[in-house]
Amino acid sequence: MKNHSEDVTGLSIENLKGIGRERARLFAKLNIKTIGDLITYFPREYEDRSSVKKIGELSDGDCCSFKGVIKGRVSESRIRKGLSVFKAVIEDETGALQAIWFNQRHVAKAFKPMQPYMFYGKIIKNVGKLEVHNPVYEVFDGEEPASTCRIMPVYPSTSGLSQNIIRSAVRSALDLVDGAITDPLPAWLKQEILLKDYYYCLKNIHFPDSMKDLKQARYRLVFEELLILQLGLLSIRESLKGSRKGIAFKKCLEVEQLIEDLPFKLTNAQRRVFREIEADMESSTVMNRLVQGDVGSGKTVVAALALFKAVRSGYQGALMVPTSLLAEQHYRFIGNLLERYNIKTSLLTGSMSKKEKQLVCDELREGTTDIVIGTHALIEENVTFRNLGLVITDEQHRFGVRQRTALLKKGENPDMLVMTATPIPRTLALILYGDLDISIINELPPGRMPVKTYVVDESMRPRINAFIRREVLEGRQAYIICPLVEESEQMDLQSANELAQRISKEDFPDLKVGLIHGRLSPKEIEGVMAQFVQGKIDVLVSTTVVEVGVDVKNATIMVIENAERFGLAQLHQLRGRVGRGTHQSYCILYNQSDSRVARDRMEAMRTTNDGFVVSEMDLHLRGPGEFFGTRQHGIPDLKIANLYRDIEVLKKVQYYAYKILYGDRNLEHAENSGLKKMIKIRFEERLKEISLN
Ligand code: ADP
Ligand code: MG
């Protein structure tokens, strides 16, 4: 059955033999609606049935295909209610073995006498005799076997859809598209890096002729998927630049004065990144820029400079952060810094009273407030601006694309700056933030001593406690983080309380111990935190609310209980809370687990202080999905590629993506039309979102 119309992949799967309304409904649950969906519904794993033996060669433990006839009849015995056993003897010219099926009524009448069948199953030795349980079977008629003697795909499924139904649907879909689909990759590219043909790869990803064919097919499909992803993101970035006219902020020499007035000298990296931002802001296209920098690299001040510049051009600026703790802190720093320049900064968080919030909203609408710093409260409907020109989100990993977009919509094509403290290697950043320009602050302010990290167990507690006491007596402060956070509030409250009790009554009766946990109101948290900032608390016991951004220079010890329960990126964030001043700082990780992974993670933390390296290791040890939450970044789901495992392919892809765009910026050449079409399909949602704002 061949159909040469171009759009065969867009046809409903109901056009396939054996798929009616009801089955189509089940397939829809797997997000399979069209022929195209079906042929790109890739197997989860494979079962290798390709080893074929004579019955006489079979031995215990083999997983093999073998040919034979059924000798005599299939016998049935009812062992008990709900358990029927069907037995038969299979033989060939070299030997015989017993086949046993459990509760498979259909086998009773399945076999014709003298007819050869192919079987596949696991061979088991039972009381000296070979048996095979629940073997798969099919008529052997000289045609190529469908379910035996080959590598079989295993698909993610849903109840009501057996592997066999999916397999045969995929098979018919592949037959249908044979000769009717165009290869999205340009021919020169396939030649240059020896990629196999599209149809060949589709066929072999589902029904590979050999492991080698499977590998080649997978390589090409991974390459193709990543290429389309990368090209899509890069073209979105280009089109955002080209089509969206933004604000051309004025040159602002006064910013040099502000830089002079800072309490410290900017690092070269901070300077360079601010220059990149300045250039973006002064150009008439919309800025979409990501600032990456390790914890403590000084991103906040760069944000402050950009906000200053926006205000001096007559616009308002907004800075959104994930917690009110962080909002307060930025408000203090930026508010104080810019007050001298007659710039009004306001704070807006969910914990403020209705009246306070209303006041800020009024001022923003009227334009009497220049800069607002706040939490998610900023994206609430009643917040409006007179002329919002610059939107910054800090600790980007805590926000989704949607929240960012919601804030952007409050202005008229405002410039956007995104700051992240989970720095990631460039190769990955190009995928995850492919639609943003990237600046990297790759230098820490001078005089910072690397935090010393120790991995310890319970037996070390007395010594650690003595150490904390000594530091406190010298005037320093400590954090103790316990991990039971949001998951179970009951547990959480109890354990955080118990821990605080134990720490204040037993471990440090002589020190001032404070407690922060998820059950406190934001106001209460602010209160405790303020005491810590003012040095009225020596030891702060906390859940992970201090994870992002908190900056208390005098704190030099970070103790993390049950460190094995945290991800590496999170541990690195927590560790980044100390080592912010000029005193030597320490991070102490209590590891309660013997597991290999836990030990590897602790070792990773101990041996490096570099956030980029940490995130790379996190990828190794956890896998990228968990770490990044690709969905949240607004990136289409990956069907076959794995950002960590396929990192080498990704590097190659990036080279070719640039090469293709260099020759054909808008993918208008005929040879790139397949790619363009695929990008449209994969980025449908993202493209909709962009045209919204
Ligand atoms: P992060 O990049 O983690 O957000 P912050 O912006 O909170 O880092 O900066 C960390 C600390 O370093 C702050 O106390 C800040 O005032 C200080 N800082 C920033 N830049 C410099 C600099 N160039 N020299 C000295 N200290 C700096
Ligand atoms: Mg920060």
Side-chain angles (χ1 to χ4, degrees):
M1 185 172 34
K2 294 220 166 132
N3 183 335
H4 287 271
S5 93
E6 248 306 301
D7 269 323
V8 60
T9 53
L11 293 177
S12 154
I13 53 168
E14 285 186 50
N15 290 291
L16 295 173
K17 198 172 62 171
I19 300 189
R21 252 306 123 72
E22 186 50 25
R23 281 211 176 141
R25 202 181 53 77
L26 292 171
F27 273 103
K29 279 195 195 168
L30 302 173
N31 261 328
I32 301 171
K33 298 191 178 94
T34 64
I35 303 288
D37 295 336
L38 195 53
I39 56 179
T40 55
Y41 189 67
F42 299 124
R44 169 164 50 88
E45 57 188 2
Y46 298 85
E47 190 178 349
D48 190 351
R49 301 181 182 172
S50 60
S51 149
V52 185
K53 287 187 178 174
K54 296 276 185 207
I55 291 178
E57 298 163 350
L58 294 173
S59 57
D60 190 21
D62 278 353
C63 291
C64 273
S65 295
F66 55 93
K67 191 169 75 175
V69 294
I70 297 284
K71 188 178 166 193
R73 286 176 27 151
V74 177
S75 74
E76 174 178 357
S77 46
R78 252 173 92 112
I79 304 292
R80 57 179 155 77
K81 196 158 187 272
L83 180 61
S84 296
V85 170
F86 300 85
K87 290 186 178 173
V89 173
I90 308 172
E91 65 174 11
D92 69 2
E93 67 282 5
T94 65
L97 85 166
Q98 171 110 286
I100 304 176
W101 289 272
F102 300 95
N103 284 344
Q104 296 195 23
R105 182 152 300 278
H106 58 91
V107 300
K109 298 204 172 72
F111 301 103
K112 291 197 198 101
M114 307 308 289
Q115 163 74 50
Y117 290 88
M118 286 304 308
F119 297 88
Y120 168 80
K122 184 172 179 177
I123 312 301
I124 297 160
K125 196 167 208 165
N126 190 7
V127 206
K129 283 194 172 152
L130 292 183
E131 289 179 353
V132 60
H133 292 184
N134 292 325
V136 176
Y137 57 89
E138 64 188 329
V139 171
F140 179 78
D141 53 10
E143 295 255 322
E144 198 187 324
S147 319
T148 59
C149 310
R150 56 176 7 278
I151 302 166
M152 297 298 291
V154 180
Y155 297 94
S157 185
T158 181
S159 91
L161 278 185
S162 69
Q163 288 297 326
N164 278 339
I165 295 174
I166 304 179
R167 282 172 192 147
S168 80
V170 171
R171 216 182 267 281
S172 345
L174 284 171
D175 283 345
L176 185 69
V177 301
D178 188 4
I181 38 170
T182 33
D183 193 329
L185 294 183
W188 66 265
L189 179 62
K190 284 191 291 179
Q191 252 163 33
E192 190 164 319
I193 47 177
L194 305 174
L195 295 176
K196 294 277 185 192
D197 189 61
Y198 190 39
Y199 185 74
Y200 168 90
C201 293
L202 283 176
K203 205 159 182 254
N204 276 283
I205 199 75
H206 291 289
F207 303 104
D209 290 331
S210 70
M211 281 301 174
K212 183 165 165 257
D213 291 292
L214 174 58
K215 217 171 138 189
Q216 287 180 327
R218 185 175 184 280
Y219 185 88
R220 183 224 137 104
L221 293 169
V222 166
F223 187 96
E224 178 189 310
E225 178 167 56
L226 292 175
L227 181 68
I228 286 163
L229 186 64
Q230 186 71 80
L231 280 174
L233 289 164
L234 293 174
S235 345
I236 286 175
R237 179 162 100 191
E238 280 304 304
S239 70
L240 283 178
K241 270 192 194 155
S243 70
R244 286 181 50 211
K245 264 198 122 24
I247 304 159
F249 292 90
K250 286 189 282 219
K251 271 215 167 344
C252 170
L253 292 176
E254 214 186 341
V255 88
E256 303 306 322
Q257 185 59 48
L258 174 59
I259 292 175
E260 283 297 307
D261 285 355
L262 288 173
F264 42 72
K265 193 166 165 288
L266 286 186
T267 63
N268 288 333
Q270 283 170 317
R271 244 171 227 285
R272 173 176 42 76
V273 168
F274 180 62
R275 295 290 167 242
E276 289 165 3
I277 294 169
E278 254 186 333
D280 273 10
M281 287 179 74
E282 284 168 21
S283 94
S284 64
T285 54
V286 169
M287 169 166 76
N288 283 293
R289 185 169 286 278
L290 169 80
V291 176
Q292 284 211 76
D294 209 341
V295 273
S297 60
K299 293 179 288 290
T300 317
V301 66
V302 174
L305 296 177
L307 288 165
F308 179 80
K309 184 178 174 69
V311 173
R312 280 299 185 253
S313 279
Y315 290 89
Q316 290 169 298
L319 170 57
M320 182 163 70
V321 302
T323 66
S324 42
L325 205 62
L326 198 52
E328 285 256 329
Q329 179 182 299
H330 283 357
Y331 170 68
R332 266 195 307 273
F333 175 71
I334 296 176
N336 284 340
L337 186 66
L338 302 184
E339 201 175 12
R340 277 169 278 160
Y341 292 83
N342 221 356
I343 288 176
K344 167 124 202 221
T345 305
S346 298
L347 179 71
L348 187 68
T349 65
S351 59
M352 287 162 54
S353 76
K354 224 172 162 180
K355 218 165 142 196
E356 290 170 312
K357 280 195 244 179
Q358 194 51 53
L359 183 66
V360 176
C361 286
D362 291 345
E363 290 184 353
L364 283 173
R365 195 181 53 246
E366 287 154 15
T368 41
T369 277
D370 303 302
I371 294 172
V372 65
I373 298 177
T375 55
H376 296 83
L378 287 177
I379 55 181
E380 271 167 29
E381 227 168 273
N382 59 339
V383 182
T384 53
F385 292 79
R386 197 171 76 86
N387 60 349
L388 177 62
L390 174 64
V391 166
I392 307 182
T393 40
D394 191 14
E395 304 299 343
Q396 177 279 342
H397 66 291
R398 290 293 194 91
F399 293 105
V401 173
R402 262 166 232 288
Q403 290 160 320
R404 227 159 62 194
T405 313
L407 186 54
L408 285 172
K409 280 199 236 160
K410 294 185 186 281
E412 226 172 285
N413 288 345
D415 273 7
M416 179 185 73
L417 201 57
V418 174
M419 303 199 294
T420 173
T422 308
I424 54 173
R426 194 170 176 84
T427 322
L428 283 170
L430 264 173
I431 279 289
L432 290 176
Y433 309 112
D435 51 349
L436 304 175
D437 291 308
I438 301 173
S439 292
I440 300 179
I441 306 185
N442 53 357
E443 185 184 348
L444 293 178
R448 293 271 173 83
M449 277 178 279
V451 177
K452 289 188 176 159
T453 302
Y454 300 93
V455 182
V456 299
D457 60 23
E458 216 36 54
S459 69
M460 289 287 286
R461 200 172 285 279
R463 282 177 66 187
I464 301 292
N465 286 348
F467 176 66
I468 294 174
R469 176 172 289 108
R470 216 160 51 233
E471 282 282 299
V472 169
L473 291 180
E474 301 222 337
R476 306 285 89 74
Q477 291 163 284
Y479 295 97
I480 300 180
I481 306 295
C482 52
L484 288 162
V485 222
E486 285 98 355
E487 293 120 66
S488 134
E489 291 186 345
Q490 283 296 325
M491 257 289 257
D492 183 21
L493 186 60
Q494 196 192 353
S495 63
N497 269 332
E498 268 170 21
L499 191 68
Q501 288 283 328
R502 197 198 75 206
I503 290 167
S504 60
K505 296 251 159 66
E506 294 168 28
D507 296 350
F508 306 114
D510 49 332
L511 306 183
K512 282 160 285 175
V513 177
L515 171 66
I516 288 183
H517 58 74
R519 279 296 192 83
L520 294 181
S521 71
K523 261 227 151 66
E524 290 169 310
I525 293 179
E526 275 160 32
V528 179
M529 205 57 210
Q531 285 184 298
F532 189 63
V533 171
Q534 292 156 17
K536 291 179 186 158
I537 289 174
D538 302 315
V539 178
L540 182 65
V541 181
S542 170
T543 54
T544 50
V545 271
V546 297
E547 174 202 344
V548 289
V550 174
D551 186 42
V552 180
K553 287 198 173 54
N554 193 49
T556 55
I557 302 183
M558 168 58 68
V559 179
I560 304 173
E561 303 279 344
N562 292 99
E564 74 281 359
R565 297 200 201 167
F566 294 93
L568 279 187
Q570 208 183 359
L571 288 174
H572 184 67
Q573 269 287 328
L574 284 165
R575 177 169 62 185
R577 295 314 110 216
V578 296
R580 304 193 140 235
T582 45
H583 301 288
Q584 176 63 55
S585 290
Y586 307 88
C587 175
I588 291 151
L589 305 170
Y590 277 103
N591 173 29
Q592 326 284 25
S593 163
D594 296 328
S595 90
R596 176 75 196 277
V597 180
R599 268 186 289 136
D600 286 351
R601 299 223 309 234
M602 296 305 126
E603 186 59 14
M605 286 301 293
R606 201 181 62 75
T607 49
T608 182
N609 264 306
D610 182 333
F612 288 89
V613 177
V614 168
S615 64
E616 208 155 26
M617 290 186 183
D618 210 11
L619 269 178
H620 266 275
L621 300 171
R622 294 228 277 180
E626 265 176 275
F627 178 69
F628 295 118
T630 40
R631 267 288 178 74
Q632 145 153 332
H633 289 285
I635 288 175
D637 283 336
L638 294 171
K639 287 185 170 195
I640 187 163
N642 170 313
L643 287 180
Y644 166 62
R645 204 156 24 109
D646 298 317
I647 194 94
E648 289 308 313
V649 191
L650 182 56
K651 285 181 190 160
K652 206 161 188 171
V653 160
Q654 283 168 348
Y655 170 79
Y656 283 100
Y658 280 113
K659 185 163 168 172
I660 290 169
L661 289 176
Y662 185 74
D664 181 15
R665 258 183 73 171
N666 299 315
L667 300 178
E668 279 157 348
H669 298 175
E671 63 176 16
N672 294 328
S673 65
L675 287 170
K676 190 163 190 165
K677 190 173 145 202
M678 296 297 268
I679 290 170
K680 278 217 179 98
I681 298 173
R682 292 306 313 264
F683 283 86
E684 203 184 345
E685 258 182 57
R686 181 87 178 91
L687 290 168
K688 259 191 238 149
E689 221 170 64
I690 290 169
S691 58
L692 276 181
N693 68 83

